[in-house]
């Protein structure tokens, strides 16, 4: 099932640097059971988790063995395919764990690890050449917002991230205003929609209307069970990238089931 525009909503949980592999197994198993008990239709709303690298093999084994209808991915990827890059993890290594997605250019990578637009673009290329779907994260700081208005920086970041992409590609874009991440102060649905609409026009300009129409754009930044519905009602918002609330099983399951509790 899809939304009006034919895009299947995606609710993604970015665990950041939380939960070891044993905790990950317990969490993923409980999440799948709890959603199955609630008769969640996984084809109608896709669910993905983004554990730390050290958990991915355990999550893969569990999901494959129990045939759980959940997707998973990595939180980062090296721009290089192999070689002397101590501490880096390549697309081939991530792909070997049957990940579907990889987060790229999260604001914490950009600010705490000085990741540049050029590196983000190189990582997007690395994901695509290793059959991974990049979730390209973009977003403005509060200073950017004051100086340049709401969509200038996210749009510029998206353009830069897609510098090497010329053909139709399976990608996801996550709009995460930096000021809304972990602050408890989410954007309003209207603010998210305005930027998402600009991002979609940019996709249309760069990759064509067909790709733009198919690409899912997520909102991230203080998403909770009590505000997800507002975002999901917006025509250009196709899901959420959830941080803190993705570590709380009941809260995350409730976000996934936004349709049931709000009748969207
Ligand atoms: P919070 O949901 O904790 O604000 O984090 C959002 C985020 O950074 C997801 O990638």
């Amino acid at each position: 099932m899809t939304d009006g525009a034919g895009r299947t909503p995606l609710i993604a949980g970015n665990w950041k640097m939380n939960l070891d592999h044993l905790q990950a197994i317990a969490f993923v198993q409980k999440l799948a059971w709890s959603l199955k008990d609630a008769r969640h239709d996984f084809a109608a709303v896709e669910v993905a988790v983004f554990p730390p690298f050290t958990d991915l093999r355990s999550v893969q084994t569990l999901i494959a063995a129990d045939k759980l209808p959940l997707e998973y991915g990595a939180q980062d990827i090296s721009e290089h395919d192999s070689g002397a890059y101590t501490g880096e993890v390549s697309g081939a290594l991530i792909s070997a764990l049957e990940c579907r997605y990889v987060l790229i250019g999260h604001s914490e990578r950009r600010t705490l690890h000085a990741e540049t637009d050029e590196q983000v673009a190189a990582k997007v290329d690395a994901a695509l050449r290793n059959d991974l779907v990049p979730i390209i994260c973009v977003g403005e700081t509060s200073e950017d917002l004051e100086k340049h208005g709401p969509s200038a920086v996210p749009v510029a970041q998206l353009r830069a991230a897609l510098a090497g992409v010329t053909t139709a590609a399976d990608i996801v874009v996550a709009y995460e205003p930096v000021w809304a991440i972990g602050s408890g102060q989410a954007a309003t649905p209207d603010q998210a929609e305005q930027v998402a609409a600009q991002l979609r026009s940019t996709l249309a300009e760069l990759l064509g209307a067909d790709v733009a129409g198919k690409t899912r754009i997520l909102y991230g930044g203080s998403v909770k069970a009590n505000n997800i519905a507002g975002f999901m009602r917006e025509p250009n918002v196709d899901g959420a990238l959830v941080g803190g609330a993705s570590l709380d099983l009941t809260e995350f399951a409730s976000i996934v089931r936004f349709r049931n509790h709000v009748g969207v």
Side-chain angles (χ1 to χ4, degrees):
M1 201 195 291
T2 56
D3 64 10
R7 298 181 291 267
T8 303
L10 169 62
I11 303 294
N14 175 8
W15 295 0
K16 308 191 179 182
M17 201 170 68
N18 294 288
L19 306 186
D20 66 28
H21 70 293
L22 298 174
Q23 293 168 319
I25 292 171
F27 188 94
V28 168
Q29 200 149 45
K30 279 191 219 150
L31 176 65
W33 286 342
S34 130
L35 290 171
K36 275 186 186 171
D37 275 356
R39 299 209 166 74
H40 177 67
D41 180 354
F42 288 89
V45 178
E46 193 186 336
V47 185
V49 292
F50 293 81
F53 281 122
T54 51
D55 300 1
L56 285 174
R57 173 66 175 154
S58 307
V59 168
Q60 175 201 16
T61 308
L62 169 68
I63 286 180
D66 291 3
K67 298 192 171 52
L68 303 180
L70 297 169
E71 300 289 348
Y72 57 95
Q75 296 177 14
D76 187 25
I77 181 174
S78 171
E79 59 197 90
H80 308 289
D81 282 337
S82 65
Y85 299 102
T86 302
E88 294 283 291
V89 181
S90 72
L93 299 176
I94 296 168
S95 244
L97 296 175
E98 294 170 332
C99 287
R100 176 157 154 70
Y101 296 106
V102 58
L103 299 181
I104 297 180
H106 190 279
S107 78
E108 286 147 21
R109 303 287 325 163
R110 292 179 191 263
T111 44
L112 305 174
H113 300 270
E115 214 164 273
T116 63
D117 278 342
E118 290 69 32
Q119 280 172 305
V120 170
K123 289 180 176 198
V124 169
D125 292 346
L128 293 174
R129 69 176 176 262
N130 285 285
D131 295 324
L132 296 161
V133 176
I135 300 188
I136 303 168
C137 303
V138 297
E140 81 288 358
T141 62
S142 43
E143 294 78 49
D144 293 334
L145 186 63
E146 250 173 55
K147 254 200 227 160
H148 309 289
S151 51
V153 168
V155 164
Q157 287 175 340
L158 181 62
R159 277 183 192 283
L162 294 175
V165 182
T166 46
T167 50
D170 197 2
I171 58 172
V172 174
V173 179
Y175 168 52
E176 298 204 300
V178 180
W179 47 270
I181 295 178
S183 66
Q185 194 206 332
T188 64
D190 188 52
Q191 281 173 314
E193 169 60 20
Q194 289 198 12
V195 178
Q198 290 297 319
L199 293 170
R200 200 175 299 288
S201 322
T202 307
L203 288 170
E205 185 200 315
L206 298 174
L207 300 174
D210 189 45
V211 174
K214 285 185 190 147
T215 300
R216 290 173 294 180
I217 299 178
L218 315 182
Y219 166 76
S222 298
V223 170
K224 304 275 183 284
N226 67 10
N227 63 16
I228 182 68
F231 294 111
M232 297 309 294
R233 279 195 203 100
E234 298 294 345
N236 282 294
V237 178
D238 309 307
L241 183 53
V242 185
S246 76
L247 298 168
D248 178 324
L249 185 81
T250 314
E251 185 79 9
F252 189 60
S254 182
I255 293 171
V256 168
R257 299 183 61 248
F258 65 90
R259 282 193 172 135
N260 294 46
H261 62 94
V262 293
V264 177

